[in-house]
Short mmCIF file of all heavy atoms in Angstrom, two decimals:
data_model
loop_
_atom_site.label_atom_id
_atom_site.label_comp_id
_atom_site.label_asym_id
_atom_site.label_seq_id
_atom_site.Cartn_x
_atom_site.Cartn_y
_atom_site.Cartn_z
N MET C 1 -13.34 0.60 2.86
CA MET C 1 -13.02 -0.07 1.65
C MET C 1 -12.79 0.93 0.58
O MET C 1 -13.39 1.99 0.54
CB MET C 1 -14.22 -0.93 1.26
CG MET C 1 -13.94 -1.92 0.26
SD MET C 1 -15.01 -3.42 0.36
CE MET C 1 -14.13 -4.37 -0.58
N ALA C 2 -11.86 0.69 -0.34
CA ALA C 2 -11.52 1.70 -1.42
C ALA C 2 -12.61 1.82 -2.41
O ALA C 2 -13.20 0.80 -2.74
CB ALA C 2 -10.17 1.23 -2.00
N ASP C 3 -12.77 2.92 -2.79
CA ASP C 3 -13.72 3.18 -3.89
C ASP C 3 -13.04 2.59 -5.31
O ASP C 3 -11.95 3.11 -5.61
CB ASP C 3 -14.00 4.70 -4.06
CG ASP C 3 -14.99 5.08 -5.19
OD1 ASP C 3 -15.45 4.05 -5.97
OD2 ASP C 3 -15.24 6.25 -5.36
N LEU C 4 -13.66 1.74 -5.98
CA LEU C 4 -12.99 1.13 -7.20
C LEU C 4 -12.78 2.12 -8.30
O LEU C 4 -11.93 1.94 -9.09
CB LEU C 4 -13.76 -0.16 -7.59
CG LEU C 4 -13.78 -1.31 -6.64
CD1 LEU C 4 -14.59 -2.33 -7.11
CD2 LEU C 4 -12.45 -1.80 -6.23
N GLU C 5 -13.69 3.09 -8.40
CA GLU C 5 -13.48 4.14 -9.47
C GLU C 5 -12.30 4.99 -9.31
O GLU C 5 -11.67 5.43 -10.27
CB GLU C 5 -14.75 4.89 -9.54
CG GLU C 5 -15.97 4.20 -9.88
CD GLU C 5 -17.29 5.06 -10.03
OE1 GLU C 5 -17.04 6.23 -10.04
OE2 GLU C 5 -18.38 4.50 -10.03
N THR C 6 -11.78 5.23 -8.12
CA THR C 6 -10.66 6.08 -7.78
C THR C 6 -9.43 5.24 -7.48
O THR C 6 -8.44 5.82 -7.18
CB THR C 6 -10.97 7.11 -6.69
OG1 THR C 6 -11.29 6.38 -5.58
CG2 THR C 6 -12.10 7.99 -7.06
N ALA C 7 -9.55 3.92 -7.41
CA ALA C 7 -8.43 3.11 -6.95
C ALA C 7 -7.18 3.36 -7.88
O ALA C 7 -6.08 3.27 -7.37
CB ALA C 7 -8.78 1.68 -6.81
N ALA C 8 -7.37 3.52 -9.13
CA ALA C 8 -6.33 3.70 -10.07
C ALA C 8 -5.65 5.04 -9.84
O ALA C 8 -4.47 5.15 -10.29
CB ALA C 8 -6.90 3.55 -11.48
N ALA C 9 -6.15 5.87 -9.14
CA ALA C 9 -5.65 7.29 -8.95
C ALA C 9 -4.63 7.29 -7.83
O ALA C 9 -4.01 8.37 -7.51
CB ALA C 9 -6.72 8.30 -8.79
N PHE C 10 -4.59 6.22 -6.90
CA PHE C 10 -3.79 6.16 -5.85
C PHE C 10 -2.28 6.19 -6.22
O PHE C 10 -1.89 5.55 -7.29
CB PHE C 10 -3.99 4.94 -4.98
CG PHE C 10 -5.40 4.86 -4.38
CD1 PHE C 10 -5.84 3.61 -4.02
CD2 PHE C 10 -6.01 6.02 -4.15
CE1 PHE C 10 -7.10 3.55 -3.39
CE2 PHE C 10 -7.37 6.02 -3.54
CZ PHE C 10 -7.81 4.73 -3.12
N ALA C 11 -1.45 6.97 -5.52
CA ALA C 11 -0.08 7.08 -5.92
C ALA C 11 0.74 6.26 -4.93
O ALA C 11 0.69 6.57 -3.80
CB ALA C 11 0.37 8.53 -5.98
N PRO C 12 1.63 5.32 -5.46
CA PRO C 12 2.44 4.54 -4.39
C PRO C 12 3.44 5.48 -3.71
O PRO C 12 4.13 6.21 -4.29
CB PRO C 12 3.15 3.56 -5.21
CG PRO C 12 2.55 3.59 -6.60
CD PRO C 12 1.85 4.87 -6.71
N LEU C 13 3.54 5.26 -2.28
CA LEU C 13 4.43 6.07 -1.50
C LEU C 13 5.69 5.14 -1.41
O LEU C 13 6.87 5.61 -1.59
CB LEU C 13 3.95 6.43 -0.24
CG LEU C 13 2.89 7.50 -0.24
CD1 LEU C 13 2.36 7.77 1.20
CD2 LEU C 13 3.33 8.79 -0.90
N VAL C 14 5.51 3.96 -1.06
CA VAL C 14 6.54 3.02 -0.67
C VAL C 14 6.18 1.72 -1.32
O VAL C 14 5.23 1.12 -1.11
CB VAL C 14 6.78 2.77 0.87
CG1 VAL C 14 7.77 1.77 1.11
CG2 VAL C 14 7.11 4.13 1.48
N THR C 15 7.15 1.08 -2.01
CA THR C 15 6.83 -0.12 -2.66
C THR C 15 7.91 -1.15 -2.28
O THR C 15 7.75 -2.39 -2.34
CB THR C 15 6.91 -0.22 -4.17
OG1 THR C 15 8.11 0.40 -4.62
CG2 THR C 15 5.72 0.76 -4.67
N ASP C 16 9.05 -0.76 -1.68
CA ASP C 16 10.21 -1.70 -1.34
C ASP C 16 10.53 -1.49 0.16
O ASP C 16 11.23 -0.40 0.47
CB ASP C 16 11.35 -1.50 -2.24
CG ASP C 16 12.49 -2.60 -2.01
OD1 ASP C 16 12.12 -3.46 -1.20
OD2 ASP C 16 13.41 -2.67 -2.66
N PHE C 17 10.05 -2.25 0.94
CA PHE C 17 10.31 -1.97 2.47
C PHE C 17 11.65 -2.14 2.98
O PHE C 17 11.96 -1.63 3.97
CB PHE C 17 9.31 -2.83 3.30
CG PHE C 17 7.82 -2.61 2.96
CD1 PHE C 17 7.05 -3.35 2.13
CD2 PHE C 17 7.29 -1.44 3.52
CE1 PHE C 17 5.74 -3.02 1.84
CE2 PHE C 17 5.92 -1.03 3.09
CZ PHE C 17 5.25 -1.84 2.36
N GLU C 18 12.54 -2.87 2.24
CA GLU C 18 13.89 -2.90 2.64
C GLU C 18 14.62 -1.61 2.45
O GLU C 18 15.52 -1.29 3.32
CB GLU C 18 14.72 -3.96 1.78
CG GLU C 18 14.44 -5.35 2.13
CD GLU C 18 13.08 -5.88 1.61
OE1 GLU C 18 12.57 -5.42 0.61
OE2 GLU C 18 12.46 -6.77 2.28
N LEU C 19 14.14 -0.78 1.62
CA LEU C 19 14.81 0.56 1.46
C LEU C 19 14.14 1.63 2.34
O LEU C 19 14.83 2.71 2.51
CB LEU C 19 14.53 0.99 -0.02
CG LEU C 19 15.05 0.19 -1.15
CD1 LEU C 19 14.75 0.82 -2.48
CD2 LEU C 19 16.60 0.09 -0.94
N ALA C 20 13.19 1.30 2.94
CA ALA C 20 12.57 2.37 4.02
C ALA C 20 13.27 2.33 5.22
O ALA C 20 13.34 1.13 5.87
CB ALA C 20 11.03 2.00 4.20
N THR C 21 13.81 3.35 5.75
CA THR C 21 14.53 3.37 6.96
C THR C 21 13.69 3.70 8.18
O THR C 21 14.01 3.22 9.18
CB THR C 21 15.72 4.36 6.96
OG1 THR C 21 15.19 5.69 6.54
CG2 THR C 21 16.63 3.93 5.69
N ALA C 22 12.70 4.50 8.08
CA ALA C 22 11.89 4.88 9.15
C ALA C 22 10.81 3.74 9.50
O ALA C 22 10.30 3.21 8.50
CB ALA C 22 11.11 6.20 8.86
N SER C 23 10.67 3.44 10.73
CA SER C 23 9.66 2.49 11.01
C SER C 23 8.41 3.12 11.68
O SER C 23 8.53 3.94 12.54
CB SER C 23 10.22 1.45 12.11
OG SER C 23 9.26 0.56 12.59
N THR C 24 7.31 2.95 10.94
CA THR C 24 6.00 3.54 11.31
C THR C 24 5.04 2.48 11.60
O THR C 24 5.27 1.32 11.16
CB THR C 24 5.46 4.49 10.33
OG1 THR C 24 5.07 3.75 9.22
CG2 THR C 24 6.41 5.57 9.96
N PRO C 25 4.00 2.67 12.39
CA PRO C 25 3.06 1.51 12.44
C PRO C 25 2.45 1.06 11.24
O PRO C 25 2.38 -0.23 10.99
CB PRO C 25 1.85 2.15 13.30
CG PRO C 25 2.53 3.26 14.13
CD PRO C 25 3.59 3.81 13.11
N LEU C 26 2.32 1.83 10.20
CA LEU C 26 1.74 1.42 8.92
C LEU C 26 2.82 0.55 8.14
O LEU C 26 2.48 -0.51 7.59
CB LEU C 26 1.38 2.59 8.06
CG LEU C 26 0.57 2.24 6.84
CD1 LEU C 26 -0.76 1.53 7.12
CD2 LEU C 26 0.21 3.59 6.05
N ARG C 27 4.03 0.93 8.21
CA ARG C 27 5.15 0.26 7.51
C ARG C 27 5.31 -1.15 8.32
O ARG C 27 5.58 -2.19 7.66
CB ARG C 27 6.41 0.96 7.53
CG ARG C 27 6.31 2.00 6.48
CD ARG C 27 7.72 2.57 6.19
NE ARG C 27 7.77 3.62 5.20
CZ ARG C 27 8.28 4.76 5.31
NH1 ARG C 27 8.96 5.09 6.30
NH2 ARG C 27 8.20 5.62 4.30
N ARG C 28 5.17 -1.17 9.45
CA ARG C 28 5.29 -2.46 10.41
C ARG C 28 4.22 -3.44 10.00
O ARG C 28 4.27 -4.71 9.73
CB ARG C 28 5.35 -2.15 11.86
CG ARG C 28 6.71 -1.64 12.26
CD ARG C 28 6.87 -1.61 13.82
NE ARG C 28 5.85 -0.84 14.41
CZ ARG C 28 6.09 0.52 14.79
NH1 ARG C 28 7.16 1.17 14.37
NH2 ARG C 28 5.07 1.16 15.35
N ALA C 29 2.89 -2.86 9.94
CA ALA C 29 1.81 -3.75 9.51
C ALA C 29 1.93 -4.20 8.07
O ALA C 29 1.58 -5.40 7.80
CB ALA C 29 0.49 -2.87 9.59
N ALA C 30 2.47 -3.39 7.18
CA ALA C 30 2.73 -3.82 5.78
C ALA C 30 3.75 -4.98 5.79
O ALA C 30 3.58 -5.84 5.06
CB ALA C 30 3.08 -2.70 4.97
N GLY C 31 4.76 -4.78 6.60
CA GLY C 31 5.73 -5.94 6.60
C GLY C 31 5.19 -7.18 7.18
O GLY C 31 5.60 -8.29 6.60
N ARG C 32 4.36 -7.19 8.20
CA ARG C 32 3.72 -8.35 8.70
C ARG C 32 2.74 -9.02 7.63
O ARG C 32 2.76 -10.19 7.54
CB ARG C 32 2.92 -8.05 10.00
CG ARG C 32 3.88 -7.77 11.17
CD ARG C 32 3.04 -7.72 12.42
NE ARG C 32 2.01 -6.75 12.51
CZ ARG C 32 2.15 -5.48 12.96
NH1 ARG C 32 3.32 -5.08 13.35
NH2 ARG C 32 1.18 -4.66 12.98
N LEU C 33 2.06 -8.13 7.02
CA LEU C 33 1.15 -8.59 5.85
C LEU C 33 1.99 -9.28 4.81
O LEU C 33 1.68 -10.34 4.26
CB LEU C 33 0.23 -7.45 5.31
CG LEU C 33 -0.65 -7.79 4.28
CD1 LEU C 33 -1.64 -8.86 4.62
CD2 LEU C 33 -1.39 -6.55 3.87
N ARG C 34 3.04 -8.59 4.31
CA ARG C 34 3.87 -9.12 3.25
C ARG C 34 4.47 -10.49 3.71
O ARG C 34 4.70 -11.38 2.82
CB ARG C 34 4.91 -8.10 2.94
CG ARG C 34 5.64 -8.42 1.57
CD ARG C 34 6.60 -7.28 1.34
NE ARG C 34 7.92 -7.80 1.46
CZ ARG C 34 9.00 -7.03 1.29
NH1 ARG C 34 8.80 -5.76 1.04
NH2 ARG C 34 10.19 -7.60 1.41
N ALA C 35 4.80 -10.64 4.95
CA ALA C 35 5.41 -11.94 5.39
C ALA C 35 4.53 -13.09 5.19
O ALA C 35 4.97 -14.30 5.12
CB ALA C 35 5.88 -11.78 6.86
N VAL C 36 3.19 -12.91 5.23
CA VAL C 36 2.31 -14.00 5.07
C VAL C 36 1.70 -14.17 3.76
O VAL C 36 0.82 -15.18 3.55
CB VAL C 36 1.21 -14.00 6.26
CG1 VAL C 36 1.74 -14.00 7.56
CG2 VAL C 36 0.36 -12.77 6.02
N LEU C 37 1.93 -13.32 2.85
CA LEU C 37 1.36 -13.47 1.42
C LEU C 37 2.11 -14.47 0.69
O LEU C 37 3.31 -14.64 0.90
CB LEU C 37 1.40 -12.00 0.69
CG LEU C 37 0.41 -11.07 1.38
CD1 LEU C 37 0.64 -9.72 0.65
CD2 LEU C 37 -1.04 -11.49 1.09
N PRO C 38 1.43 -15.04 -0.32
CA PRO C 38 2.08 -15.97 -1.15
C PRO C 38 3.21 -15.24 -2.06
O PRO C 38 3.13 -13.97 -2.23
CB PRO C 38 1.02 -16.44 -2.19
CG PRO C 38 -0.26 -16.13 -1.46
CD PRO C 38 0.01 -14.96 -0.59
N PRO C 39 4.21 -16.04 -2.51
CA PRO C 39 5.26 -15.41 -3.29
C PRO C 39 4.76 -14.72 -4.53
O PRO C 39 3.77 -15.06 -5.17
CB PRO C 39 6.17 -16.63 -3.82
CG PRO C 39 5.79 -17.67 -2.82
CD PRO C 39 4.43 -17.45 -2.35
N GLY C 40 5.28 -13.50 -4.86
CA GLY C 40 4.85 -12.67 -6.04
C GLY C 40 3.89 -11.56 -5.72
O GLY C 40 3.76 -10.67 -6.39
N TRP C 41 3.34 -11.69 -4.49
CA TRP C 41 2.29 -10.69 -4.15
C TRP C 41 3.08 -9.42 -3.43
O TRP C 41 4.07 -9.75 -2.83
CB TRP C 41 1.28 -11.21 -3.07
CG TRP C 41 0.30 -12.13 -3.65
CD1 TRP C 41 0.52 -13.35 -4.29
CD2 TRP C 41 -1.11 -11.97 -3.67
NE1 TRP C 41 -0.59 -13.91 -4.65
CE2 TRP C 41 -1.55 -13.11 -4.24
CE3 TRP C 41 -1.99 -11.06 -3.16
CZ2 TRP C 41 -3.01 -13.33 -4.41
CZ3 TRP C 41 -3.34 -11.27 -3.25
CH2 TRP C 41 -3.90 -12.36 -3.83
N ARG C 42 2.54 -8.22 -3.62
CA ARG C 42 3.28 -7.13 -3.03
C ARG C 42 2.32 -6.29 -2.18
O ARG C 42 1.11 -6.36 -2.39
CB ARG C 42 3.65 -6.16 -4.19
CG ARG C 42 4.74 -6.70 -5.12
CD ARG C 42 5.24 -5.55 -6.07
NE ARG C 42 4.37 -4.38 -6.37
CZ ARG C 42 3.66 -4.38 -7.48
NH1 ARG C 42 3.74 -5.37 -8.44
NH2 ARG C 42 2.90 -3.33 -7.72
N VAL C 43 2.84 -5.61 -1.23
CA VAL C 43 2.12 -4.72 -0.37
C VAL C 43 2.73 -3.32 -0.59
O VAL C 43 3.87 -3.08 -0.60
CB VAL C 43 2.28 -5.09 1.10
CG1 VAL C 43 1.61 -4.16 1.98
CG2 VAL C 43 1.77 -6.44 1.35
N GLU C 44 1.85 -2.42 -0.92
CA GLU C 44 2.31 -0.97 -1.11
C GLU C 44 1.52 -0.08 -0.19
O GLU C 44 0.41 -0.39 0.27
CB GLU C 44 1.86 -0.52 -2.51
CG GLU C 44 2.58 -1.30 -3.62
CD GLU C 44 2.07 -0.80 -4.99
OE1 GLU C 44 1.07 -0.17 -5.10
OE2 GLU C 44 2.76 -1.27 -5.98
N ILE C 45 2.17 1.09 0.24
CA ILE C 45 1.53 2.02 1.05
C ILE C 45 1.27 3.13 0.08
O ILE C 45 2.17 3.64 -0.60
CB ILE C 45 2.50 2.51 2.23
CG1 ILE C 45 2.82 1.40 3.13
CG2 ILE C 45 1.86 3.76 2.85
CD1 ILE C 45 3.85 1.73 4.25
N VAL C 46 0.00 3.43 -0.01
CA VAL C 46 -0.42 4.40 -1.07
C VAL C 46 -1.09 5.56 -0.38
O VAL C 46 -1.62 5.47 0.78
CB VAL C 46 -1.42 3.94 -2.02
CG1 VAL C 46 -0.69 2.70 -2.95
CG2 VAL C 46 -2.60 3.27 -1.39
N ASP C 47 -0.97 6.73 -1.03
CA ASP C 47 -1.62 8.04 -0.57
C ASP C 47 -2.96 8.14 -1.22
O ASP C 47 -3.02 8.25 -2.42
CB ASP C 47 -0.68 9.20 -0.81
CG ASP C 47 -1.04 10.36 -0.25
OD1 ASP C 47 -1.92 10.36 0.88
OD2 ASP C 47 -0.73 11.52 -0.63
N THR C 48 -4.00 8.10 -0.45
CA THR C 48 -5.36 8.17 -1.02
C THR C 48 -5.70 9.62 -1.33
O THR C 48 -5.33 10.47 -0.42
CB THR C 48 -6.35 7.55 -0.04
OG1 THR C 48 -6.40 8.12 1.16
CG2 THR C 48 -6.09 6.03 0.09
N PRO C 49 -6.32 9.96 -2.40
CA PRO C 49 -6.63 11.38 -2.64
C PRO C 49 -7.84 11.76 -1.78
O PRO C 49 -8.73 10.87 -1.47
CB PRO C 49 -7.08 11.40 -4.07
CG PRO C 49 -7.47 9.94 -4.46
CD PRO C 49 -6.58 9.08 -3.47
N ASN C 50 -7.81 12.92 -1.22
CA ASN C 50 -8.93 13.47 -0.40
C ASN C 50 -9.98 14.05 -1.30
O ASN C 50 -9.60 14.97 -2.26
CB ASN C 50 -8.45 14.44 0.62
CG ASN C 50 -9.38 14.82 1.67
OD1 ASN C 50 -10.62 14.66 1.42
ND2 ASN C 50 -8.91 15.44 2.73
N ARG C 51 -11.18 13.75 -1.23
CA ARG C 51 -12.21 14.21 -2.07
C ARG C 51 -12.32 15.79 -1.91
O ARG C 51 -12.89 16.55 -2.83
CB ARG C 51 -13.53 13.50 -1.78
CG ARG C 51 -13.44 12.07 -2.25
CD ARG C 51 -14.78 11.43 -1.94
NE ARG C 51 -14.54 10.04 -2.13
CZ ARG C 51 -15.30 9.28 -2.94
NH1 ARG C 51 -16.26 9.78 -3.72
NH2 ARG C 51 -14.96 8.06 -3.09
N SER C 52 -12.00 16.43 -0.85
CA SER C 52 -12.21 17.79 -0.70
C SER C 52 -10.94 18.62 -1.05
O SER C 52 -10.89 19.82 -0.90
CB SER C 52 -12.43 18.12 0.89
OG SER C 52 -11.46 17.75 1.68
N GLY C 53 -10.00 17.94 -1.67
CA GLY C 53 -8.76 18.55 -2.16
C GLY C 53 -7.61 18.78 -1.26
O GLY C 53 -6.69 19.09 -1.64
N GLY C 54 -7.80 18.32 0.02
CA GLY C 54 -6.74 18.39 0.98
C GLY C 54 -5.77 17.14 0.88
O GLY C 54 -5.88 16.37 -0.10
N ASP C 55 -5.01 17.07 1.96
CA ASP C 55 -4.07 15.85 1.90
C ASP C 55 -4.88 14.52 2.20
O ASP C 55 -5.77 14.49 2.98
CB ASP C 55 -2.94 16.03 3.01
CG ASP C 55 -1.99 17.05 2.59
OD1 ASP C 55 -1.89 17.44 1.46
OD2 ASP C 55 -1.34 17.65 3.65
N GLY C 56 -4.51 13.54 1.52
CA GLY C 56 -5.13 12.26 1.70
C GLY C 56 -4.54 11.44 2.85
O GLY C 56 -3.55 11.93 3.50
N ALA C 57 -5.10 10.31 3.21
CA ALA C 57 -4.47 9.46 4.29
C ALA C 57 -3.93 8.25 3.63
O ALA C 57 -4.33 7.66 2.61
CB ALA C 57 -5.66 8.97 5.16
N PRO C 58 -2.75 7.78 4.14
CA PRO C 58 -2.06 6.59 3.59
C PRO C 58 -2.84 5.33 3.99
O PRO C 58 -3.56 5.29 5.02
CB PRO C 58 -0.70 6.56 4.32
CG PRO C 58 -0.91 7.53 5.58
CD PRO C 58 -2.00 8.49 5.25
N MET C 59 -2.82 4.36 3.17
CA MET C 59 -3.45 3.04 3.32
C MET C 59 -2.64 1.93 2.59
O MET C 59 -1.74 2.27 1.89
CB MET C 59 -4.93 3.07 2.74
CG MET C 59 -4.91 3.23 1.28
SD MET C 59 -6.69 3.05 0.72
CE MET C 59 -6.68 1.44 0.19
N LEU C 60 -2.97 0.78 3.11
CA LEU C 60 -2.15 -0.37 2.49
C LEU C 60 -2.92 -0.92 1.27
O LEU C 60 -4.21 -0.95 1.23
CB LEU C 60 -2.03 -1.42 3.51
CG LEU C 60 -1.18 -1.21 4.77
CD1 LEU C 60 -1.20 -2.41 5.62
CD2 LEU C 60 0.24 -0.84 4.33
N ARG C 61 -2.23 -1.27 0.22
CA ARG C 61 -2.82 -2.00 -0.91
C ARG C 61 -2.05 -3.15 -1.29
O ARG C 61 -0.81 -3.18 -1.30
CB ARG C 61 -2.67 -1.03 -2.14
CG ARG C 61 -3.18 -1.64 -3.38
CD ARG C 61 -3.28 -0.75 -4.52
NE ARG C 61 -2.00 0.07 -4.83
CZ ARG C 61 -2.02 1.00 -5.68
NH1 ARG C 61 -3.09 1.45 -6.18
NH2 ARG C 61 -0.86 1.63 -5.92
N VAL C 62 -2.77 -4.44 -1.44
CA VAL C 62 -2.18 -5.61 -1.76
C VAL C 62 -2.32 -5.77 -3.29
O VAL C 62 -3.42 -5.58 -3.83
CB VAL C 62 -2.97 -6.80 -1.08
CG1 VAL C 62 -2.29 -8.14 -1.43
CG2 VAL C 62 -2.69 -6.58 0.47
N VAL C 63 -1.16 -6.04 -3.94
CA VAL C 63 -1.17 -6.23 -5.38
C VAL C 63 -0.85 -7.64 -5.77
O VAL C 63 0.09 -8.16 -5.36
CB VAL C 63 -0.03 -5.32 -5.98
CG1 VAL C 63 0.01 -5.43 -7.49
CG2 VAL C 63 -0.31 -3.78 -5.54
N MET C 64 -1.79 -8.24 -6.47
CA MET C 64 -1.63 -9.59 -6.99
C MET C 64 -0.57 -9.71 -8.09
O MET C 64 -0.43 -8.73 -8.75
CB MET C 64 -2.96 -10.18 -7.39
CG MET C 64 -4.08 -10.27 -6.47
SD MET C 64 -5.57 -10.90 -6.98
CE MET C 64 -5.53 -11.04 -8.68
N PRO C 65 0.09 -10.85 -8.23
CA PRO C 65 1.05 -11.00 -9.28
C PRO C 65 0.34 -10.86 -10.68
O PRO C 65 -0.73 -11.25 -10.79
CB PRO C 65 1.75 -12.38 -9.08
CG PRO C 65 0.92 -13.00 -8.00
CD PRO C 65 0.08 -12.00 -7.36
N GLN C 66 1.16 -10.40 -11.54
CA GLN C 66 0.71 -10.21 -13.00
C GLN C 66 0.75 -11.62 -13.66
O GLN C 66 1.68 -12.38 -13.56
CB GLN C 66 1.46 -9.24 -13.84
CG GLN C 66 1.54 -7.88 -13.25
CD GLN C 66 0.15 -7.20 -13.50
OE1 GLN C 66 -0.44 -7.52 -14.54
NE2 GLN C 66 -0.21 -6.39 -12.53
N GLY C 67 -0.36 -11.89 -14.42
CA GLY C 67 -0.45 -13.14 -15.27
C GLY C 67 -0.43 -14.36 -14.66
O GLY C 67 -0.24 -15.40 -14.93
#
């Protein structure tokens, strides 16, 4: 589960899956998740910061519609 204090620090890597040409397991899972979400919801692949200063690991984030 994501740490809520650092969740705002995640940087989006991919937000539009139609523009992504490479198919990876994470992108395929994001596409399947997006297919079952209600209209207006988004799925993003974000790079999580590593607490030790190294490279983070990508994860999926579901974003609810605004307002």
Side-chain angles (χ1 to χ4, degrees):
M1 195 153 197
D3 181 2
L4 295 177
E5 292 179 14
T6 60
F10 295 156
L13 292 177
V14 175
T15 56
D16 190 0
F17 295 105
E18 284 78 25
L19 298 177
T21 57
S23 178
T24 66
L26 192 58
R27 286 191 177 137
R28 287 190 297 271
R32 288 191 302 268
L33 178 59
R34 194 171 110 186
V36 298
L37 287 173
W41 289 59
R42 293 190 334 260
V43 178
E44 297 176 346
I45 299 175
V46 295
D47 189 20
T48 59
N50 190 341
R51 293 178 190 238
S52 63
D55 290 336
M59 65 178 260
L60 295 178
R61 173 172 54 192
V62 176
V63 181
M64 296 183 347
Q66 298 290 327

